[in-house]
Amino acid sequence: MSRSIAEAIRAPEEGREMVLTVATDGDVEAVAGAVDELGGSVLEKLRFDMLEISISEDRIADLDELNAVTSMNAEGELRFAAGRGSEGN
């Protein structure tokens, strides 16, 4: 069973990677650049301004704070990004 995004943000496991589908506000290149700066990798650029990425659990919280990230999904779990002003995630 995989860990949830919330678990990874709350208590990241050092050296553990997660594959996420990240929705953007349209600025795909900015998010791709941020993923690279955070030490992650863009695995695929998807339709509808989305990316499939691989990133270390300890950097997911940083990704979550980006305004250009609107949501993140890991194996069926959807999380609206904190950078978008959502609450309760």
Side-chain angles (χ1 to χ4, degrees):
M1 181 175 200
S2 66
R3 287 166 43 93
S4 73
I5 296 170
E7 289 172 322
I9 290 172
R10 203 171 25 256
E13 291 183 16
E14 186 176 335
R16 185 173 179 159
E17 297 277 317
M18 284 188 85
V19 174
L20 304 173
T21 302
V22 177
T24 75
D25 65 358
D27 199 349
V28 175
E29 294 306 318
V31 174
V35 168
D36 186 55
E37 288 176 17
L38 293 171
S41 301
V42 174
L43 304 175
E44 186 175 357
K45 290 185 179 180
L46 306 169
R47 296 173 57 189
F48 308 113
D49 298 323
M50 298 173 77
L51 299 168
E52 182 177 47
I53 68 163
S54 175
I55 193 165
S56 176
E57 282 191 359
D58 63 341
R59 301 315 302 260
I60 294 173
D62 298 323
L63 184 67
D64 189 47
E65 293 296 323
L66 296 176
N67 285 333
V69 173
T70 58
S71 66
M72 295 185 285
N73 183 319
E75 295 186 31
E77 174 201 7
L78 179 63
R79 176 183 173 83
F80 291 96
R84 300 299 293 178
S86 61
E87 296 188 23
N89 291 324

